[in-house]
Amino acid sequence: MQHASGTLWVVATPIGNLGDLSPRAVETLRAVQAICAEDTRHTRPLLQQFGIDTPLLALHDHNEANLSERLVARLLAGESLALVSDAGTPLVSDPGYRLVAAAHEAGIAVSPVPGPCAAIAALSAAGLASDRFVFEGFLPAKSGARRSRIEALAAEPRTLIFYESAHRIREMLEDAAAGFGGDRLGCVAREVSKRFETIRRDALASLRAWVESDANQQRGEFVVLVAGADEPEDAKLEAGRSLYRKLVEHLPPSQAARVAAEISGAPRKALYGGESA
Ligand code: SAM
């Protein structure tokens, strides 16, 4: 007998506050034949809290490649499954990508049940430009690699979003202040939606000093956001400097700087007087 395929539901769960599990998430988790969870020990209490007794199976980075095929076979046979991670939206710095890709390749319907995501929650409260942003996940754990990554991102004009753990937050903020510049605006969003939630927006150097000086601010889970590089001003300065270099071959430096500033819109002082001009 031919079965219609089931659906793979990708269900977001709370990032701290149980009140954030949506009614549709509860309904979906009740209705499916099985829930694939990153860590069943973590998800079981959540299900119990909501009186959901759907069978759980573990799907994590180490078994996802092997298990995906079997799960796709179940979906093709008509079962519907849900995918959850320990917290927030699956696949966002969490497992699930291989299963979702395999489901698409097998022609199975994949449907998200949207909900909490630490990156988006933090962005919504950070007060940094949010029209364009880049999610970078976790920076490398080793300091050399972390600094190189920050250096590669220093000129990025879009708001940057990073995840960070408690044991690396101090080093990360130190490297961020050094690599992006201590004056660059940022935001530390700690323990979002939980009892000790703290959202602080300030210059990176100040954020670093503040976290450094208060052990309580070094606990919990973190999203660190960094304002994008100031694109138009940088571009103006670059154009102004280039003009100045050409004009100064024919005009006195002060006059060359005045003309270059007028044409490029860069501040005259930034062009005249410094060797870098
Ligand atoms: N899938 C999750 C999501 O949608 O946000 C993220 C999972 S990732 C493995 C865990 C990281 O997310 C934490 O180390 C922290 O950086 C961030 N995070 C998760 N919950 C958070 C919270 N309540 N407040 C701040 N950051 C959080």
Side-chain angles (χ1 to χ4, degrees), residues 15 87 89 92-94 117-118 138 163-164 192 194 221-223:
I15 55 169
T89 301
V92 179
S93 289
D94 268 342
C117 174
F138 291 92
Y163 280 165
E164 198 46 271
V192 174
K194 302 190 212 178
E221 299 192 280
F222 297 84
V223 182

Side-chain angles (χ1 to χ4, degrees), residues 26-214:
V26 174
E27 198 183 299
T28 306
L29 294 174
R30 278 211 182 103
V32 292
Q33 275 71 56
I35 299 168
C36 313
E38 183 182 2
D39 183 344
T40 54
R41 289 164 307 177
H42 190 100
T43 299
R44 193 162 283 117
L46 175 77
L47 299 185
Q48 277 165 356
Q49 187 84 22
F50 287 85
I52 300 167
D53 57 8
T54 308
L56 270 172
L57 56 96
L59 180 98
H60 41 69
D61 283 335
H62 306 291
N63 70 357
E64 192 180 342
N66 291 331
L67 201 58
S68 291
E69 207 177 309
R70 288 195 349 239
L71 294 173
V72 164
R74 287 180 67 169
L75 288 155
L76 284 171
E79 286 190 34
S80 281
L81 303 175
L83 171 67
V84 300
S85 59
D86 283 355
T89 301
L91 278 81
V92 179
S93 289
D94 268 342
Y97 157 72
R98 290 190 197 85
L99 174 61
V100 171
H104 278 288
E105 274 154 29
I108 290 156
V110 181
S111 186
V113 179
C117 174
I120 299 300
L123 179 70
S124 73
L128 300 177
S130 54
D131 49 345
R132 296 191 303 153
F133 56 89
V134 189
F135 175 64
E136 280 288 321
F138 291 92
L139 281 166
K142 295 205 171 121
S143 67
R146 185 170 56 240
R147 284 176 198 162
S148 309
R149 187 87 202 100
I150 289 175
E151 201 182 303
L153 291 167
E156 169 59 59
R158 293 168 290 184
T159 294
L160 293 148
I161 308 178
F162 301 97
Y163 280 165
E164 198 46 271
S165 64
H167 66 279
R168 264 197 293 274
I169 187 66
R170 292 163 67 201
E171 297 169 56
M172 188 270 189
L173 286 173
E174 187 177 337
D175 289 346
F180 294 113
D183 291 343
R184 184 89 72 97
L185 201 54
C187 178
V188 172
R190 184 178 79 96
E191 294 288 88
V192 174
S193 78
K194 302 190 212 178
R195 183 161 172 222
F196 295 110
E197 177 183 282
T198 327
I199 312 279
R200 189 162 175 123
R201 176 185 186 269
D202 207 338
L204 289 175
S206 310
L207 288 173
R208 188 208 148 211
W210 170 69
V211 169
E212 195 68 43
S213 68
D214 183 351

